Amino acid sequence: MRMLKHAAAVLAGSALVCLALPIAATAAAPVASSVPPPSRSTLAQQAGRVVAAGVPGADIETRDERGTRSVVAGVGDLRTSEPPRPSGEFRIGSVTKSFTATLVLSLVAEGRIELDAPIDRYLPGVLPYSDTITVRQLLQHRSGLYDYANVLWANPKLVARSRYRDYAPADLVRIATQKPLQFIPGRQFLYSNTDYVMLGMLVEKVTGDSYAHELSRRVLDPAGLRHTYVAGHDPRLRQPSARGYEAVHSPTRLTDLTTYNMSVAWASGDIVSTTHDLNLFYSALLDGRLLPSTLLRQMQQYEPAFPGFDYGLGLGHTEMCGQQIWGHVGGVPGYGTYSFTSPQSARQITISVNRSLTLSPAAEKEINALIADEFCGDPAQR
């Protein structure tokens, strides 16, 4: 789980689950609603460029005034040369954070959690610090907690070697709390997967039930997501869209990391979904069908994270072609996910690629261009 580091290409910065919000330099482009979105053939060409830049395969779904379009490109299985399956499942990495935040806010709506209450009220003694860290600060990555991923996934070889290791949430927090707080809570943004592991523990404490069960009951089922679930300790994917690969040993040799115990990510990045389900989720969330309007507005109250990129409560935000764009990016071994929505123009795009932690800057650039074209319109008509 890492954050990529680009301002106009892909924003990023830490380890483990990808947070970054890809944005292309589109400030001078026309507003997207005035230019038709790319056609299916244009999307296919763009997907082909992503593959040519070093990704084995890509699976894309867009939703806009032209309808819903699914496109795949490249190879989903290097052994058989079969293409990705457009209805198949993949690991969504840190896109999980939007789901976890929605779950926490549903409990806020019921009065069972207070956003500005200290986390110690609910989980006494879990954190060894004297500083007060609130639920809101965890949601917005302003807690100052060290990211345990910097230890567990320090490099691709370590990522591959630990693929079958099992972790409990408390194990992950203990690794993080071996380090001091990185700053006084609330003072700045620092992406940390530890924040969302703590939030998963919070959900289980206040409900007395599992994170996976509460997520299904409060978020997945109401949003109508039929192919989304928490993988838990099962390292297998049920119906993979594509097998996942990383350049573990050399830049030219890809290692199959499809089978992976993602308990290392849990409430921070352990959800499996499809391109269709992710578009459904963000549509339901931003249309106000999952949270009361007052809480959705709080979720969208963002603070600066990086140049050109802001962060709310589990939601990434940027402006593109005069529109507000919301969503998240996730990256875990073998799978990179990019899911964005513009409520203003009712345009959405979700992309899954089957290489992430060792993705090249050239591939990131092509993914950014694909996203920008969906919101800014077909480049041939701009």
Side-chain angles (χ1 to χ4, degrees), residues 136-310:
R136 188 189 301 272
Q137 288 165 350
L138 292 170
L139 285 163
Q140 203 161 30
H141 291 299
R142 302 181 78 85
S143 70
L145 288 172
Y146 183 77
D147 189 349
Y148 67 86
N150 292 326
V151 174
L152 296 182
W153 281 6
N155 58 67
K157 289 184 179 179
L158 187 56
V159 168
R161 285 201 302 267
S162 62
R163 64 191 298 183
Y164 297 113
R165 186 163 181 181
D166 208 43
Y167 293 93
D171 297 332
L172 305 175
V173 173
R174 274 194 293 270
I175 292 169
T177 54
Q178 297 303 305
K179 303 283 187 178
L181 287 177
Q182 305 300 289
F183 50 81
I184 296 173
R187 288 286 180 90
Q188 64 188 71
F189 176 92
L190 178 67
Y191 184 77
S192 175
N193 292 286
T194 311
D195 292 339
Y196 276 73
V197 171
M198 289 292 297
L199 291 167
M201 295 171 70
L202 169 65
V203 167
E204 294 197 337
K205 184 64 178 289
V206 300
T207 64
D209 210 336
S210 72
Y211 164 78
H213 181 265
E214 290 296 322
L215 186 75
S216 294
R217 187 166 75 88
R218 296 172 177 276
V219 180
L220 307 186
D221 293 344
L225 310 186
R226 298 181 179 178
H227 302 283
T228 302
Y229 59 92
V230 178
H233 300 281
D234 188 346
R236 299 165 298 175
L237 287 177
R238 298 172 186 173
Q239 297 178 327
S241 170
R243 301 196 67 80
Y245 301 95
E246 298 293 349
V248 173
H249 303 288
S250 78
T252 58
R253 182 159 63 94
L254 295 180
T255 299
D256 189 329
L257 296 179
T258 307
T259 303
Y260 206 103
N261 185 332
M262 284 302 301
S263 62
V264 68
W266 195 46
S268 180
D270 189 25
I271 288 179
V272 174
S273 191
T274 66
T275 55
H276 184 67
D277 268 15
L278 288 182
N279 281 336
L280 285 179
F281 166 69
Y282 279 113
S283 177
L285 175 63
L286 295 167
D287 285 351
R289 286 178 274 142
L290 298 180
L291 293 172
S293 59
T294 54
L295 283 175
L296 178 59
R297 285 196 294 271
Q298 291 207 54
M299 195 178 196
Q300 294 175 300
Q301 288 178 359
Y302 52 80
E303 296 283 348
F306 301 105
F309 168 67
D310 311 302

Side-chain angles (χ1 to χ4, degrees), residues 24-26 28-32 34-47 49 62 64 66 69 320-321 347 349 365-382:
T26 55
V31 174
S34 67
V35 182
S39 64
R40 191 179 186 284
S41 61
T42 299
L43 280 174
Q45 293 172 2
Q46 294 169 318
R49 289 196 289 270
T62 62
D64 48 50
R66 286 187 168 177
R69 295 180 301 287
M320 189 180 294
C321 301
R347 293 188 182 184
I349 185 168
K365 181 179 179 181
E366 294 298 342
I367 291 168
N368 295 335
L370 201 161
I371 294 167
D373 289 347
E374 175 60 29
F375 295 112
C376 296
D378 193 327
Q381 301 186 49
R382 293 212 294 263

Side-chain angles (χ1 to χ4, degrees), residues 33 37 62-67 283 287 323-324 340-349 374-375:
S33 57
T62 62
R63 300 175 74 192
D64 48 50
E65 60 264 40
R66 286 187 168 177
S283 177
D287 285 351
Q323 302 172 86
Q324 305 293 311
F340 299 102
T341 295
S342 171
Q344 291 172 275
S345 63
R347 293 188 182 184
Q348 294 187 280
I349 185 168
E374 175 60 29
F375 295 112

